[in-house]
Amino acid sequence: MHCFYKGSLICTLILITGLPMAFSQEKDATMLTLDRIFSLEEFEPEEFGPARWIDGGSGYTTLEHDAETDSGKNIIRYNTKTGEREVLVHSSKLMPPGWEHPMHIDDYHWSSDKQKLLIFTNTKRVWRRNTRGDYWMLDLQSGNLKQLGGDAQPSTLMFATFSPDGKKVGYVVKHNLYVENLESGKIVQLTNDGSETIINGTFDWVYEEEFGLRNGFRWSPDSKKIAYWQLDAEGVGVFSLINNTDSLYSQVIPIQYPKVGTTNSICRIGIVNAGGGETNWMKLPDDLRNNYVCRLEWGGNSEKIVIQRLNRLQNNLRVMLGDIRSGEFTTTHSETDEAWVDVRKGNVRWIENGKRFVWASESDGWRHVYVISRDGKEKKLITPGEFDVVEVLRIDEKGGWVYYLASPENPTQRYLYRSPLDGSGKAERISPADQPGTHSYDISPNARWAFHTYSNYDMPQVISLVNLPGHKKIRPLAENAAMKANVSALNRQPVEFFRVDIGDGVELDAWCMKPYNFDPEKKYPLFFFVYGEPAGQTVLDKWFGNRYLWHTMLTQQGYVVISVDNRGTPAPRGRAWRKSIYRQIGILASKDQAAAAKEILKNRPYLDAERVGIWGWSGGGSMSLNMIFRQPEIYKTALAIAFVADQRNYDTIYQERYMGLPDDNHEGFKNGSPITFAHQLEGNLLIVYGTGDDNCHYQNAEMLINELVAHNKHFSMMSYPNRRHGIREGKNTTRHLYGVLTSYLNQNLPAGPIDPPSME
């Protein structure tokens, strides 16, 4: 029963999931349905990979379905230039004694001499990814297949990694580090103190989520030592998830999760001999609990390590060289910002045999690439200009180039560029001029080849092998021809990219999707899609899969769908754009979104100002709440999924990076949190949450519900038992969720055009 009509006395949970739409045409290839999008396979992309470059780029390996036996996937080696194909590993042969079916390969890694192969299988999820499982070592010369880990329990090994000489493998089991000799089979346990709170060689929840760290150990170049992180989570607050459905009695799932302003894990770095022995703890300066080691590598040799260390406020990032014999560190480079300093992927890349490193910095107001000497005394800009480097992809030291993604003219797109390493020339665009949209690349070590992925907003991705720097297409790798044909057959209009002028010289990027049978003389409901936080853009000219298809289905029903990127989103529009949001998450973005909505409604007379809705997930769920609470005169309906209701509920690293500490920014935390404005709700609100969300906790939904109830505000909600942040687990979950969203939208923000009111 739907509860939200004004005047209702009881708020009843709505379960509107499978209602047939009057406009559904299941046998019409031009029209979309929920089943076509989420239950069938006509829009599933082709698979490619995981692919690995070998021999510098002269070859590559990948996984391909075994068409002969239909029993699994084979590992195939290709000659990059000629395309010559060789089956290196038949899945049918990966069947240890006693097994009824061949081994399923989730991932694989080569030894340096390509004579041994690590196969990852029987995997289990840890937070976001399947990083725990079983590892088998296949010797390609002898054909011997051996499971690693000795008597370790099934699916407990993590991050098995060959030593550089290929003679040993290191891995983590239950927060302890091990090394296994591949010739003798001897296993050496390097750490013995691993526990629920002492974490060796991997990470707690917040380091993984916010720094993208999972594998927490690094082999030395000479294969004799291992450098590793150790986290001590004693004193970190424990958040409990409740599983009510998998057994007769509920199960408590504890997670060490440092909420904003609370205690972090202690972090230190150890060096241990691969043959065992005592760990040499590096002498990190300052408070170990209130500084982060966000990157660790060997410093170009086996005598030094290099770390990147952030203070708790994350406005100072130090590149520090550590001598493994003395344990002492020296700071070779430091970045400071009035807001925060971003930690970039692969930001220290050594060149000239370790004499210099390549580094990305926003120090001049744009994100540029620099070459810095090992002692930090020399720093040279190599990508000058008023544009941002989005990501450094490959250093071609032999050729003298750095390859990177950028888009100087259009922040919604991405292209491959290169610049001379000596800083002597201008940026050179490599991506073809006749392919507007988004390009990504996996460039070979010799910088001669790349796996190239290209898409735009209206076209699914195409993956091909290209030759660099000419960008000549060598062969297709995943053309997605069937999927592209199915998409092309749909009734749809091309997306419109545009900018919204909200005054004071601020223009926001946006896109608009209109019904295929659009009539500018009619009035259409407006449905916004929003994110709005520093972790992501929505206004990108790239393929968005099922989200694009669902939005297209809504346009077929008669909605206009628009998305706007407010200031503070990570667009390549300069440092000032991205960091304008500092200490005012939820505040500045709400102002920008409201100003954009007013401007859009004013300038597009075909939009019905009485039918305006908004939806978003995670940060976008928070923004959807902010908009309907703060601007009830604009937004009539909101669908908020997996949101943070009160910013104090989220983790230390993310929230403090953008907001500072709560004791120093009390008003910012209060006024940036949707729950503060819940009493202003006037429109239709749907709350959707997974009760097993370890990222944004279900606590947020319950706290918001209490606040809404206290002010007698009616709303609707749908909770999914034990589902995590993506709400994907369990049979039919995604189809069901979008059924709920669609039905709620149809009932509360009626679809279809109407005639404008008469002027008589």
Side-chain angles (χ1 to χ4, degrees):
M1 177 180 177
H2 179 34
C3 71
F4 189 75
Y5 300 109
K6 293 180 179 178
S8 299
L9 297 178
I10 301 174
C11 182
T12 306
L13 177 68
I14 58 164
L15 294 174
I16 41 178
T17 61
L19 300 178
M21 308 290 178
F23 25 74
S24 293
Q25 302 177 33
E26 295 187 19
K27 296 183 179 180
D28 186 348
T30 67
M31 302 296 286
L32 284 165
T33 65
L34 290 168
D35 283 339
R36 285 191 72 192
I37 299 171
F38 299 108
S39 299
L40 305 177
E41 297 182 354
E42 42 186 321
F43 299 105
E44 287 293 317
E46 291 180 41
E47 293 183 353
F48 172 70
R52 304 277 186 264
W53 292 108
I54 57 176
D55 300 328
S58 62
Y60 64 89
T61 58
T62 187
L63 290 178
E64 293 182 4
H65 180 71
D66 190 335
E68 293 183 8
T69 63
D70 199 30
S71 60
K73 292 185 176 181
N74 298 331
I75 297 179
I76 311 297
R77 185 194 190 283
Y78 284 92
N79 181 294
T80 307
K81 184 177 181 179
T82 67
E84 182 182 355
R85 181 179 184 274
E86 176 188 2
V87 181
L88 291 182
V89 180
H90 288 270
S91 63
S92 58
K93 296 181 180 179
L94 296 177
M95 194 156 60
W99 285 39
E100 296 181 358
H101 303 286
M103 187 181 299
H104 175 78
I105 304 174
D106 289 282
D107 204 352
Y108 66 95
H109 296 279
W110 293 103
S111 60
S112 56
D113 62 4
K114 307 302 180 296
Q115 297 303 307
K116 303 183 186 71
L117 184 70
L118 278 177
I119 298 172
F120 189 38
T121 187
N122 195 25
T123 64
K124 304 294 182 184
R125 184 171 171 181
V126 179
W127 312 130
R128 290 293 182 95
R129 297 184 186 175
N130 284 29
T131 54
R132 192 173 70 243
D134 296 332
Y135 282 91
W136 294 73
M137 197 277 290
L138 177 65
D139 188 313
L140 266 66
Q141 288 185 326
S142 67
N144 183 47
L145 181 66
K146 176 188 176 183
Q147 186 172 6
L148 303 182
D151 57 0
Q153 294 177 347
S155 297
T156 58
L157 270 66
M158 303 178 74
F159 317 121
T161 307
F162 282 113
S163 58
D165 63 12
K167 296 179 179 180
K168 299 178 285 290
V169 170
Y171 47 79
V172 174
V173 178
K174 296 181 178 179
H175 292 172
N176 276 315
L177 265 167
Y178 296 79
V179 165
E180 185 163 342
N181 187 298
L182 297 177
E183 294 180 0
S184 66
K186 180 182 178 181
I187 298 173
V188 177
Q189 185 170 345
L190 302 184
T191 65
N192 295 279
D193 54 353
S195 66
E196 290 185 0
T197 56
I198 299 296
I199 303 167
N200 296 302
T202 184
F203 297 93
D204 61 4
W205 185 92
V206 73
Y207 261 76
E208 175 170 326
E209 176 68 20
E210 305 302 355
F211 289 142
L213 293 170
R214 292 175 175 84
N215 182 345
F217 69 92
R218 305 286 185 265
W219 280 102
S220 64
D222 63 7
S223 302
K224 295 179 179 180
K225 301 177 184 68
I226 285 178
Y228 69 97
W229 277 267
Q230 183 191 78
L231 300 185
D232 181 352
E234 183 70 33
V236 175
V238 175
F239 193 87
S240 297
L241 304 178
I242 309 297
N243 181 341
N244 286 314
T245 62
D246 290 350
S247 61
L248 190 60
Y249 290 92
S250 60
Q251 301 174 13
V252 177
I253 305 169
I255 298 174
Q256 291 158 328
Y257 184 110
K259 298 221 171 195
V260 59
T262 68
T263 303
N264 274 324
S265 294
I266 293 171
C267 176
R268 58 180 180 167
I269 302 298
I271 310 294
V272 63
N273 288 328
E278 294 294 319
T279 293
N280 174 32
W281 295 108
M282 301 296 292
K283 299 173 184 177
L284 285 167
D286 307 321
D287 185 351
L288 298 182
R289 196 180 286 278
N290 289 305
N291 287 271
Y292 303 108
V293 179
C294 46
R295 294 292 183 265
L296 162 66
E297 303 294 339
W298 286 87
N301 56 45
S302 296
E303 302 300 323
K304 302 275 189 178
I305 60 170
V306 58
I307 66 169
Q308 295 179 47
R309 199 168 193 230
L310 271 175
N311 63 332
R312 179 147 183 173
L313 282 176
Q314 299 175 67
N315 57 12
N316 176 250
L317 175 61
R318 288 172 288 173
V319 179
M320 306 175 73
L321 281 171
D323 187 306
I324 66 169
R325 288 172 292 188
S326 68
E328 299 287 347
F329 280 99
T330 56
T331 298
T332 189
H333 180 68
S334 180
E335 292 276 333
T336 302
D337 196 287
E338 292 179 358
W340 71 87
V341 180
D342 285 309
V343 178
R344 311 299 304 173
K345 178 181 178 183
N347 210 14
V348 173
R349 300 178 189 235
W350 295 103
I351 59 174
E352 299 178 21
N353 294 318
K355 293 180 180 179
R356 303 179 190 275
F357 62 92
V358 176
W359 177 261
S361 168
E362 294 180 339
S363 56
D364 72 349
W366 299 93
R367 186 184 301 124
H368 280 307
V369 179
Y370 296 81
V371 171
I372 301 175
S373 62
R374 190 178 184 89
D375 60 10
K377 294 181 179 180
E378 299 176 17
K379 180 181 177 182
K380 187 172 186 179
L381 172 64
I382 60 175
T383 58
E386 293 188 352
F387 71 96
D388 281 311
V389 170
V390 175
E391 182 182 355
V392 175
L393 298 181
R394 177 66 66 184
I395 306 297
D396 176 16
E397 188 173 1
K398 183 178 180 180
W401 299 95
V402 55
Y403 286 82
Y404 54 90
L405 294 179
S407 187
E409 288 81 31
N410 188 333
T412 73
Q413 299 174 335
R414 301 289 186 269
Y415 301 101
L416 181 64
Y417 283 77
R418 70 174 185 173
S419 291
L421 264 176
D422 61 8
S424 62
K426 295 181 179 180
E428 175 186 345
R429 176 165 157 171
I430 304 298
S431 299
D434 61 351
Q435 293 183 0
T438 294
H439 300 254
S440 62
Y441 299 81
D442 180 348
I443 301 177
S444 65
N446 62 14
R448 291 184 56 197
W449 314 94
F451 304 133
H452 169 228
T453 302
Y454 167 60
S455 72
N456 59 44
Y457 197 84
D458 295 307
M459 184 192 79
Q461 65 184 30
V462 176
I463 306 174
S464 56
L465 175 70
V466 297
N467 180 235
L468 298 179
H471 211 282
K472 179 182 178 182
K473 182 178 177 180
I474 304 302
R475 72 182 71 94
L477 301 173
E479 292 188 288
N480 280 314
M483 180 184 178
K484 288 172 65 177
N486 290 335
V487 171
S488 296
L490 297 173
N491 282 332
R492 58 183 182 146
Q493 285 207 21
V495 68
E496 171 199 355
F497 281 87
F498 64 103
R499 279 195 166 179
V500 187
D501 187 341
I502 62 171
D504 297 325
V506 178
E507 292 186 339
L508 307 179
D509 289 300
W511 53 249
C512 175
M513 298 174 68
K514 298 174 184 176
Y516 69 95
N517 52 1
F518 175 73
D519 183 347
E521 301 302 318
K522 302 286 188 180
K523 287 278 190 179
Y524 292 85
L526 169 58
F527 191 42
F528 283 102
F529 171 60
V530 68
Y531 184 74
E533 293 209 4
Q537 287 177 260
T538 59
V539 185
L540 287 168
D541 191 6
K542 64 179 290 188
W543 178 249
F544 279 103
N546 286 350
R547 186 201 300 165
Y548 168 85
L549 295 170
W550 187 60
H551 285 157
T552 300
M553 187 190 81
L554 295 180
T555 66
Q556 292 179 346
Q557 295 177 5
Y559 294 95
V560 171
V561 184
I562 288 179
S563 189
V564 179
D565 269 342
N566 49 260
R567 283 173 289 178
T569 50
R573 297 184 63 172
R575 177 208 168 275
W577 170 273
R578 290 186 291 275
K579 296 184 178 178
S580 60
I581 206 167
Y582 186 56
R583 292 173 67 89
Q584 49 180 340
I585 294 286
I587 300 173
L588 179 64
S590 295
K591 291 178 181 178
D592 281 4
Q593 290 288 335
K598 291 176 182 177
E599 192 69 18
I600 288 168
L601 288 167
K602 181 179 74 174
N603 294 325
R604 296 179 181 242
Y606 56 83
L607 296 174
D608 186 352
E610 298 304 312
R611 289 185 292 165
V612 178
I614 189 168
W615 87 285
W617 203 304
S618 192
S622 304
M623 193 62 62
S624 298
L625 293 174
N626 266 318
M627 301 323 298
I628 198 169
F629 293 163
R630 295 170 187 262
Q631 304 287 341
E633 73 282 3
I634 301 176
Y635 303 90
K636 313 302 181 183
T637 297
L639 287 60
I641 307 171
F643 49 83
V644 173
D646 187 327
Q647 292 184 26
R648 294 173 300 175
N649 290 339
Y650 205 51
D651 73 65
T652 50
I653 295 178
Y654 181 92
Q655 212 65 49
E656 293 172 11
R657 177 188 301 151
Y658 306 123
M659 291 294 288
L661 293 167
D663 289 345
D664 298 329
N665 190 16
H666 174 77
E667 289 302 308
F669 276 88
K670 177 183 176 182
N671 294 326
S673 297
I675 197 169
T676 303
F677 304 93
H679 64 281
Q680 298 178 178
L681 175 65
E682 294 181 13
N684 314 302
L685 173 61
L686 172 64
I687 293 169
V688 180
Y689 231 103
T691 69
D693 193 333
D694 57 60
N695 185 357
C696 302
H697 301 141
Y698 187 59
Q699 170 192 49
N700 286 284
E702 294 182 321
M703 291 174 70
L704 181 62
I705 288 167
N706 276 343
E707 188 69 10
L708 292 168
V709 169
H711 294 282
N712 200 34
K713 298 296 181 179
H714 296 166
F715 58 92
S716 301
M717 71 167 293
M718 179 67 206
S719 62
Y720 286 90
N722 299 325
R723 272 66 167 193
R724 300 191 188 188
H725 195 57
I727 314 182
R728 291 185 293 265
E729 298 80 8
K731 183 179 180 181
N732 199 49
T733 297
T734 300
R735 166 64 176 83
H736 187 278
L737 185 152
Y738 279 90
V740 170
L741 300 181
T742 305
S743 297
Y744 189 85
L745 186 65
N746 293 159
Q747 292 189 22
N748 293 281
L749 197 74
I754 59 174
D755 292 319
S758 173
M759 300 302 292
E760 297 180 5

